[in-house]
Amino acid sequence: MITPQPPLPTDPPRGRVTAFARRRPIAAFLLGAYGLGWPLLTLTTVTGWGRTPLGVAFTYGALLGSALVVSRLADGPGAARRLLARFLIWRFGVARWALIVLALPALTLAIAAASGTLHTPTSGWPAAAGSYLFQLFVVGALSVNLAEEGGWSGLVQTRLTNRHGLFRGAMLTAPLFVAVHVPLQFSPGWTWAGVGVGVAALAVLAPFFRYVLGETLVATGGSLLAVGVLHAALNASGTIDLPGGWQSLPAVVVLALVLGVARRIRARRSPHALPDVSTVQTAALAPASSQDSAS
């Protein structure tokens, strides 16, 4: 008589999901970001239906929601709370806040002046400044960009920066960031040529933009508030009443080059004066016990 062997134990589905998130946290995040985000963006872009609710579902669900779930699975209890706590990091100096809020609109206007496309807005400069601030803090930061950067900066770029350094972390994040925006190119009346140009423009601009955000992430100790507002500053700069509306794009390139050169000069003069890249990861991945003891 042959005694039947008991079935070999297998990991329950939840266990396999947790193991995958721990081994490949960025891949796990992308499954949620693309798997949920692409359908949502495609639906609202192609049909024009539900732009606000679907946009909120995209940023707060597909992006920030995926980041929180993956953080919890990959790093254990308290990880999601620590990620959210990084939205409360705001004490990093007036000069850095000025750069976050004013650098991109100032460079946008400077490029407009240099290109001969600067003119007084029809509503006047005070009204234009008020519109910029509204677009920055309300339409941009609160509605979209804080949650968006909770995923991209809070999980993806934080981990890649810690693993590969500031520059390579930004370069590796850029194509992933571009990919999630591809459905936005399929607006009514789209053509393949137009989609190709739009994606190519994103691919050129994204490395510079992700470097600016990565530098800010490192300089502010991992503040998601800082990078979310800075992301909103780019979008708000694009709404300034200027012919063509293109001036904010080279402004990102200029800002990235300025920050990169400034960082290199500071490194040569005093290497220890630069913020440590590892500080980006501290708030996200430090065990809860060490966080509690530090506070």
Side-chain angles (χ1 to χ4, degrees):
M1 180 177 178
I2 300 176
T3 304
Q5 297 294 323
L8 294 175
T10 58
D11 292 333
R14 184 177 178 183
R16 290 197 293 269
V17 170
T18 300
F20 174 73
R22 288 176 178 173
R23 291 195 310 269
R24 298 285 188 269
I26 294 176
F29 167 78
L30 294 178
L31 286 176
Y34 295 158
L36 297 174
W38 275 337
L40 290 170
L41 285 184
T42 301
L43 178 60
T44 189
T45 301
V46 173
T47 67
W49 177 82
R51 188 171 299 275
T52 298
L54 291 182
V56 170
F58 168 66
T59 54
Y60 282 87
L63 297 182
L64 181 57
S66 295
L68 292 173
V69 170
V70 171
S71 295
R72 171 62 178 82
L73 293 175
D75 303 318
R81 175 181 55 81
R82 292 193 295 273
L83 190 148
L84 290 174
R86 294 171 64 189
F87 287 107
L88 303 179
I89 300 174
W90 61 274
R91 295 181 180 179
F92 35 78
V94 174
R96 176 58 62 166
W97 266 119
L99 185 149
I100 290 168
V101 174
L102 300 176
L104 284 172
L107 287 171
T108 297
L109 295 176
I111 289 169
S115 62
T117 58
L118 180 64
H119 65 84
T120 301
T122 55
S123 58
W125 287 112
S131 175
Y132 167 78
L133 292 175
F134 181 78
Q135 292 288 330
L136 171 63
F137 290 110
V138 179
V139 177
L142 290 178
S143 300
V144 179
N145 301 120
L146 287 173
E148 186 176 7
E149 289 305 325
W152 290 112
S153 289
L155 190 142
V156 177
Q157 195 159 351
T158 287
R159 292 173 184 272
L160 291 176
T161 297
N162 187 66
R163 189 182 308 163
H164 302 288
L166 171 57
F167 180 79
R168 289 189 64 192
M171 297 306 104
L172 291 171
T173 304
L176 306 177
F177 178 74
V178 170
V180 82
H181 290 84
V182 169
L184 293 176
Q185 306 303 315
F186 293 90
S187 56
W190 67 271
T191 63
W192 285 115
V195 171
V197 170
V199 173
L202 282 173
V204 170
L205 183 65
F208 294 97
F209 186 45
R210 294 316 311 185
Y211 181 84
V212 169
L213 294 178
E215 191 277 341
T216 302
L217 202 65
V218 171
T220 61
S223 172
L224 297 181
L225 176 64
V227 293
V229 173
L230 183 54
H231 191 151
L234 170 62
N235 295 342
S237 297
T239 67
I240 298 175
D241 183 14
L242 296 171
W246 55 267
Q247 295 83 352
S248 61
L249 304 182
V252 175
V253 177
V254 172
L255 182 57
L257 295 176
V258 169
L259 292 176
V261 170
R263 185 174 177 84
R264 181 173 291 273
I265 291 173
R266 290 174 62 194
R268 288 180 176 178
R269 289 180 177 178
S270 180
H272 300 293
L274 287 176
D276 188 352
V277 169
S278 64
T279 61
V280 176
Q281 197 80 334
T282 301
L285 299 184
S289 59
S290 64
Q291 290 277 327
D292 296 338
S293 62
S295 60

